[in-house]
Amino acid sequence: DAGVTQSPTHLIKTRGQQVTLRCSPKSGHDTVSWYQQALGQGPQFIFQYYEEEERQRGNFPDRFSGHQFPNYSSELNVNALLLGDSALYLCASSFDRVGTDTQYFGPGTRLTVL
Amino acid sequence: SQQGEEDPQALSIQEGENATMNCSYKTSINNLQWYRQNSGRGLVHLILIRSNEREKHSGRLRVTLDTSKKSSSLLITASRAADTASYFCATGGWNAGNMLTFGGGTRLMVKP
């Protein structure tokens, strides 16, 4: 049973560029959440997708957008990259049902903005 | 902003000793989860405790939750060098989807 997968593993971009990160959830999961983790800090919630719609959003600007596909996989897009966007981006999947609160994380995508 | 605060921020112990990490949070929660992270990679889920539970065990891990004090602790018994990692507590609210709010983490080093 494959766990949560993310691509790419590492990415280097320059300021002002746009980036797309991808996530495939754990088998049987229908909900995908994205988190940003700056160096030395805990992850911060960006947004969550369920039934192909954004269900919740954290305190992140509109430069951060996402999408969920019918197969439950998801993309995170960041426009007009800033140096401060350099971070580890984590995807987590879960199954939307009462009592199933555990989120399973992927290995992350390390984004460096120069 | 981060809901939880872990204490201590860093902990260094010898193999075989017990490690205790504490987490405090601010708002009402549905559940609290502990995760481990090795060298800036993905988070590994360790244990989940619900707001109506007081203590939970999983192998060498023991988690307690005190909702009146808004705090939790993670105890790792008989630590091993392989336990060296960062440990995070994350609180889940009552909203749909269980958005997690993480603390800053405790960096544990277990010396052989």
Side-chain angles (χ1 to χ4, degrees), chain A residues 9-10 35 37 40-45 48 55-56 88 90 94 96 99-108 110, chain B residues 1-2 30-31 33 35 37 39-43 45 48 50 88 95-105 107:
Chain A
T9 305
H10 295 89
Y35 294 80
Q37 186 179 22
Q41 298 183 20
Q44 300 263 356
F45 176 76
Q48 182 182 86
R55 176 158 67 176
Q56 292 182 68
L88 180 69
L90 296 161
S94 55
D96 186 74
T100 57
D101 298 315
T102 299
Q103 294 192 16
Y104 295 87
F105 282 79
R110 174 76 60 187
Chain B
S1 63
Q2 297 189 307
N30 175 25
N31 62 79
Q33 305 182 41
Y35 287 84
Q37 185 176 43
S39 302
R41 297 298 289 167
L43 298 169
H45 185 263
L48 179 152
R50 300 196 180 283
F88 294 91
N95 51 311
N98 190 42
M99 175 193 95
L100 294 178
T101 304
F102 284 83
R107 285 140 195 85

Side-chain angles (χ1 to χ4, degrees), chain A residues 3-60:
Chain A
V4 181
T5 60
Q6 292 186 244
S7 64
T9 305
H10 295 89
L11 205 50
I12 299 175
K13 292 285 187 178
T14 56
R15 280 179 297 175
Q17 285 189 313
Q18 178 264 343
V19 68
T20 297
L21 310 181
R22 295 176 176 81
C23 171
S24 291
K26 187 176 169 65
S27 178
H29 285 184
D30 57 7
T31 303
V32 173
S33 302
W34 287 92
Y35 294 80
Q36 179 196 66
Q37 186 179 22
L39 198 61
Q41 298 183 20
Q44 300 263 356
F45 176 76
I46 302 175
F47 43 54
Q48 182 182 86
Y49 277 84
Y50 171 69
E51 292 189 340
E52 302 180 48
E53 291 191 359
E54 183 183 290
R55 176 158 67 176
Q56 292 182 68
R57 188 178 184 92
N59 189 25
F60 279 81

